[in-house]
Amino acid sequence: MQRITIAYGDGIGTEIMDATLQIMKAAGAQLEYDVIEIGEKVYNRGIQSGIAPESWDTLRRNKVFLKSPITTPQGGGFKSLNVTVRKTLGLFANVRPCQAFSPYVKTHFPKMDLVVIRENEEDLYAGIEHQQTAEVIQCLKLVSRPGCEKVIRYAFEYARAYGRKRVTCMTKDNIMKFTDGLFHRIFNEVAAEYPDIEHNHFIIDIGAAMLADKPERFDVVVTLNLYGDIISDITAEVAGSVGMGGSANIGDDFAMFEAIHGSAPDITGKGIANPSGLLNAACMMLVHIGQSAVAENIQNALMKTLEDGIHTGDIYTEGMSNERVGTQQFAEALIERLGQRPEHLKAVSYNKEQPPIHITVSPTKPVVKKLVGVDVFVDWTGANRNPNELGDILKELAGDNMKLKMITNRGVKVYPDGLPETFCTDHWRCRFVSLDSLLSPVYQGTGAARPMQPKDIADLLTRIDNAGINFIKTENLYWMDGERVYSLGQGE
Ligand code: NAD
């Protein structure tokens, strides 16, 4: 018997959770439940995260969470419950299978059967945003080596465990050479350890277009958080119905399972919601906790129910469907079919011996870090925003140990040798590099120039401040193990 946490959520949440629990019980799932409250009722009590503090104890104790959708409150001040749960419990991989059930559920891609595995904790979702000038706001994209390795390794282990043949990585590393480049590089490193699984890479823009046009060509897709968020919605949509999809959020010790759709307020209380999304999520959960025989039974009965034309309104098609049923009738029809297998759709068959997937990441190797410069960002609108004027002021402030290398505006080099046509905002990145780093390697550290220290930056900022220029942030420039690990400015 496994004890899990469940939450009925909002909108159609209760209707689809009742149907799901009923079906799992009839199929012989060995489960006990603790119920926690999440969503609107909790937000309305003034708890901004949408989950009461005492519920965390239940989640921690049971480690497995089956969650119905919630209604996200409108307006500022509220935090996304999903993001809070994912980050708090370290749920690093979001797994979303998207399968066509054609012709029973209408889709343009009858052979589509893929899984999107999305990194769940990092990237632009760190939620670190700052307005720095009247005109410019930034959002930090943070990507870590262990974060990438965990999700990529999970994708390969998942492919092995579920008999999948190929893992495709999608990044934008032609533009973001360091962040997305890290994800791609680790993908290649990890792929080499799985010679039994094919691997390839697509730039995310063409990859997303291919997923929308030829999804049957893909098997497992692994990608960063934002891209994964977008492509998993594309794949769910083109698979046929948002009402069918389930997803898992997997961590080292915890896991959360949910339907991909929301609380569907437009059909709430009508008893017509399709419970298949939550049910498919529940089947992912059953496999995760070692009750894969029960999951197999439910998924095969679900496909048989679809084949028999017993359809909820969202997937009902004249000519293909035999009966338009509500949530409860759909559950009953499925329960009647437990033990049966689909005749036309591909039956599910799990490897019952499969041990649970556990991911160990490689320890981080120490690096030799050398400070070689600093990007100082300034808020400046003087001299009609003429970059040469700013350059002339700043080059005098560089001191005896650094040199002003360039100034960019939104990444475009405007000093020296900028073009007058370039549109300039009030946000300037001014790159100072140490004279030591400009020497050829033979002369570095010989005393020909003093190696740069963090205090040099503090002194530089003091000089900039004394000159009446408003600095807004700095980024240190490093070499690590002798390699440049920051992007060059255009034309540098
Ligand atoms: P939605 O997914 O709730 O609904 C979109 C459309 O799909 C609606 O027409 C709805 O009736 C239909 N639909 C969804 N699930 C269905 C099902 N099981 N059976 C039949 N039809 C179904 O998306 P929305 O309307 O944009 O969002 C409603 C609320 O849900 C919002 O507050 C949103 O923030 C929230 N939401 C929550 C989650 C979550 O908890 N994980 C996910 C997405 C949206």
Side-chain angles (χ1 to χ4, degrees), residues 3-22:
R3 204 165 184 87
I4 64 164
T5 307
I6 62 168
Y8 287 92
D10 300 318
I12 58 168
T14 302
E15 300 159 49
I16 59 174
M17 181 61 87
D18 280 342
T20 299
L21 297 181
Q22 217 178 315

Side-chain angles (χ1 to χ4, degrees), residues 95-99 113-116 158 164 235-236 244-248 260 284:
V95 183
R96 188 183 281 193
C98 293
Q99 184 188 354
D113 178 12
L114 62 84
V115 183
V116 176
Y158 180 97
R164 300 235 168 214
T235 53
M244 299 293 299
S247 78
I260 63 170
M284 296 171 83

